[in-house]
Amino acid sequence: MNWWAAWRAWRQERKLKRVSVDATLWSALMARYPYTRSLSAADRERLQVLVRLFLHDKAIHGAGGLEVSAALRLAIAIQACILVLDLGLDSYRGWVEVIVYPDEFVTRYEYVDEDGVVHQGTEAKSGEAWAGGPVVLSWADAAASGGADAYNVVIHEFAHKLDMLNGEPNGFPPLHVGMSRERWAHAFEQAYAHFCDRLDAGEDTAIDEYAAESPAEFFAVLSEVFFEDPALLRDEYPAVYEQLVAYYRQDPGARAAAARVPPTPACVV
Ligand SMILES: [Zn+2]
């Protein structure tokens, strides 16, 4: 081991000593989400190391009167870290704060239309990810995530964070060596156009229609489906599924099939 690797290992060890995880809470949360129930013991161990480092490096703050409990911190960290289980925490570099509201929060927006008129308004949101800034979450929505409905606001916002690693979110995060930009673009563009056509035709899709907002939202929503209900995404958009397996470097569908994941138990947090 060279001195740099040795220093990094020593630093990581020091961080891990400062953050412990309650074993009962950990087991309950591992049973809570479809994508953690299928993890092997070795993968759970790797996930826990990431979760502890995440909790060391990031500050999770309550807003709007929300008290941040150990269960809330752990639930958010687990869901954030499942995305980077095989990418590493460095993918969340450049920002430190997660802000959690008890419920939907209201943000102000302003835009200038094509006639130069400035419009202002407010919008209720369940989550938000700022470039170089915090991830903001509604706890009511985060706590409701992780069921069988392929909805997960935490995964959604952290997918935006990954997308922002190479600039404005556009559904095109930095790809790994060996991945093809053409193949990625082809898979996502075709699927996006097809999905928008289905909505225009009045179809009631199993995938959240919010995915049609923009290519950035399509990537974030499909990342939710990839982890929450991989069989659904694999059936509907196999080429996108294949690209996400290459990007996230994990295959939740194959993992769930191998582990024969049981249905979701009642909510524990
Ligand atoms: Zn979004």
Side-chain angles (χ1 to χ4, degrees), residues 83 86-87 162 173-181 183-184 187-188 219 226-227 233 238-253:
L83 280 81
D86 293 284
L87 303 178
L162 297 174
L175 304 183
H176 310 304
V177 175
M179 289 184 73
S180 154
R181 288 180 62 84
R183 236 175 282 157
W184 178 281
F188 274 87
F219 168 70
F226 178 70
F227 286 101
L233 184 60
V240 166
Y241 187 85
E242 201 180 294
Q243 291 302 309
L244 290 180
V245 167
Y247 175 67
Y248 284 113
R249 293 177 165 152
Q250 49 179 312
D251 187 341

Side-chain angles (χ1 to χ4, degrees), residues 176-256:
H176 310 304
V177 175
M179 289 184 73
S180 154
R181 288 180 62 84
E182 287 71 30
R183 236 175 282 157
W184 178 281
H186 185 70
F188 274 87
E189 281 167 14
Q190 282 221 324
Y192 184 60
H194 181 258
F195 187 70
C196 292
D197 285 348
R198 289 166 66 192
L199 292 184
D200 288 345
E203 188 180 327
D204 189 12
T205 55
I207 294 173
D208 187 353
E209 62 182 48
Y210 186 63
E213 279 288 304
S214 67
E217 297 306 339
F218 195 62
F219 168 70
V221 171
L222 263 49
S223 291
E224 296 174 60
V225 184
F226 178 70
F227 286 101
E228 290 269 338
D229 191 353
L232 171 66
L233 184 60
R234 205 171 40 189
D235 286 351
E236 296 211 345
Y237 296 111
V240 166
Y241 187 85
E242 201 180 294
Q243 291 302 309
L244 290 180
V245 167
Y247 175 67
Y248 284 113
R249 293 177 165 152
Q250 49 179 312
D251 187 341
R255 206 162 59 204

Side-chain angles (χ1 to χ4, degrees), residues 76-160:
I76 287 174
I78 286 169
Q79 294 176 86
C81 287
I82 192 68
L83 280 81
V84 296
L85 181 62
D86 293 284
L87 303 178
L89 261 194
D90 195 41
S91 307
Y92 292 149
R93 62 185 174 272
W95 59 275
V96 291
E97 198 178 18
V98 179
I99 299 169
V100 191
Y101 284 89
D103 211 324
E104 284 193 327
F105 49 94
V106 175
T107 54
R108 286 181 192 286
Y109 66 86
E110 188 176 293
Y111 74 95
V112 183
D113 70 17
E114 46 205 21
D115 298 323
V117 180
V118 179
H119 298 264
Q120 290 175 326
T122 57
E123 194 181 354
K125 289 189 168 176
S126 56
E128 203 169 48
W130 289 72
V135 170
V136 189
L137 295 166
S138 144
W139 179 237
D141 290 85
S145 298
D149 56 357
Y151 171 77
N152 191 306
V153 67
V154 187
I155 288 178
H156 182 103
E157 299 308 332
F158 281 88
H160 279 319

